[in-house]
Amino acid sequence: MRQTLGQLLRRATVGVLTLAMWAPCGSAVAAPLAPSPEADSLAFAQRYRAVQHGGIVRAANASATCLGAGSSCRSAQSGGAGANGDFEMGYIDVDRDPNTYNSSRAEVRLPAGARVTYARLYWGGNLLAGEQKPWEDNGRVLIAEPGGEYKELIADTLVGHRVADGADAFQASADVTRLVRDSAPGMYTVAQVNVAMGRSAAGTWGGWTLVVAYEDPAEPLRHLAVWDGFAPLGGRSGAAMPLSDLPFPAGAGGRVGLVAYNGDRGTTGDSLVLTADGSRSTAFAGTANPYDDVLNSTIADPADAAPARVPAYANTLGYDSDVFDLAGGLERAGDRATFRLTSERDAAWAGVLFAAVDARR
């Protein structure tokens, strides 16, 4: 196994990025850092909210996949059946940098002239499979903007970290608004996500999602909101994200997105449901996401908005970062709505939910 991120940082010269303050790569020598504080469960709470003309986009990719050239692995990567516990799992590594052991890329796609108002990177995975990764590296990762060099990113809030169901799962995050605002849209690379390789009954998974809110005068006035936490999804209660005091019109348009960990393709009983004033409850679905299996190891978007990824595996083997159209879910005007993500059979974790909903003028 190549160096852990902690080992790499003790030997390399990198830029430092923490609490949205960053320096260009090579401008400072990184000293060993204390582990980020952790909690075994983080209640979902609103991280960001705005009312503005614009929307929310995200870039995302997995950090691990099945190993080998066998037909079952290739079939799963192409979108076929398969769960992470079925395979020997290893790292995705696209950057050709011998000092990183995992890396993947995805595109931030913004309308021309849009202004970034908020951006946050989320990363997470499973530390225990054939190997046990050190938890001390959960709260740090490397990020490179389009055309840029790696910069160290340090979690700026509590890291969710829980050992349960045969897994050692975590999610960390940090504000990257300044970095994304000062960069052109394009392909971001994220490396050194603290994910184990190997094989176990629980399986290995991991990945990252960059959520970006933007302002664009050409787009409708919308309520923009981001929630995050770290919560197991077993049972029917799930994770609920209420939006209040957001007047929306009948038939309001918009989109909603989620990030979750260890959802297995073909294991039904998981759903994302919208309940709003006077409207029927609506379960979200898409061409890649059945309404009763939304946690099915996909990074999926509405048909007109799929950003590029490298690699672009159709089955991410345990990492979900999906975006759905509201599609008539708000049939009547109101000012309250609740999104609820549940998983009745998968031993899954919820990490992020975001929404952009048309506002009533």
Side-chain angles (χ1 to χ4, degrees):
M1 184 182 74
R2 282 175 273 181
Q3 298 165 316
T4 68
L5 181 54
Q7 293 167 333
L8 176 63
L9 293 175
R10 285 190 284 273
R11 299 180 59 183
T13 299
V14 299
V16 176
L17 174 57
T18 180
L19 297 173
M21 300 297 292
W22 65 276
C25 186
S27 64
V29 176
L33 296 165
S36 301
E38 298 188 338
D40 68 359
S41 182
L42 300 178
F44 263 73
Q46 189 169 276
R47 175 70 63 179
Y48 171 80
R49 182 168 175 180
V51 181
Q52 63 193 33
H53 293 270
I56 296 178
V57 296
R58 68 94 176 85
N61 215 334
S63 300
T65 189
C66 52
L67 291 177
S71 59
S72 59
C73 176
R74 294 197 308 270
S75 174
Q77 291 172 336
S78 299
N84 46 38
D86 300 333
F87 300 101
E88 183 81 13
M89 297 287 287
Y91 303 124
I92 295 169
D93 196 9
V94 301
D95 64 5
R96 299 183 181 178
D97 183 336
N99 290 313
T100 64
Y101 61 85
N102 70 59
S103 60
S104 56
R105 295 190 176 100
E107 177 190 17
V108 169
R109 183 180 295 176
L110 290 167
R115 185 181 74 90
V116 171
T117 56
Y118 186 74
R120 192 167 193 89
L121 181 72
Y122 297 89
W123 66 96
N126 182 18
L127 310 180
L128 176 62
E131 64 175 344
Q132 172 73 65
K133 295 299 289 293
W135 66 270
E136 291 88 351
D137 284 340
N138 288 348
R140 47 195 176 193
V141 77
L142 300 179
I143 184 172
E145 74 276 26
E149 301 295 329
Y150 280 132
K151 300 162 186 67
E152 181 198 1
L153 183 63
I154 304 299
D156 61 8
T157 189
L158 278 174
V159 175
H161 179 197
R162 182 166 180 160
V163 180
D165 300 311
D168 192 346
F170 82 96
Q171 177 180 270
S173 72
D175 188 326
V176 290
T177 303
R178 183 178 172 187
L179 174 67
V180 178
R181 182 182 292 155
D182 292 348
S183 304
M187 299 292 281
Y188 282 75
T189 307
V190 176
Q192 302 299 81
V193 177
N194 198 27
V195 176
M197 64 185 298
R199 185 167 188 170
S200 70
T204 280
W205 66 88
W208 57 272
T209 293
L210 175 56
V211 177
V212 181
Y214 66 89
E215 187 174 34
D216 181 1
E219 295 198 17
L221 183 68
R222 294 188 174 114
H223 300 279
L224 309 182
V226 180
W227 303 265
D228 56 36
F230 191 66
L233 289 174
R236 295 179 178 271
S237 58
M241 285 66 67
L243 269 174
S244 59
D245 302 320
L246 72 163
F248 53 82
R255 286 178 174 168
V256 58
L258 64 85
V259 175
Y261 302 90
N262 199 35
D264 291 331
R265 181 162 302 195
T267 302
T268 59
D270 39 74
S271 61
L272 177 64
V273 175
L274 168 62
T275 303
D277 292 344
S279 298
R280 295 170 295 177
S281 294
T282 300
F284 290 95
T287 55
N289 294 99
Y291 74 92
D292 64 343
D293 191 16
V294 295
L295 303 184
N296 64 343
S297 300
T298 52
I299 297 173
D301 299 82
D304 63 340
R309 292 187 288 128
V310 181
Y313 294 138
N315 183 342
T316 61
L317 295 170
Y319 186 71
D320 277 278
S321 183
D322 297 312
V323 179
F324 303 89
D325 275 319
L326 281 177
L330 298 171
E331 58 188 2
R332 298 186 182 181
D335 64 358
R336 294 177 182 273
T338 298
F339 298 93
R340 185 177 297 275
L341 179 63
T342 60
S343 177
E344 296 180 19
R345 298 182 181 90
D346 276 331
W349 281 263
V352 188
L353 192 135
F354 55 90
V357 181
D358 290 347
R360 191 165 66 226
R361 295 177 181 274

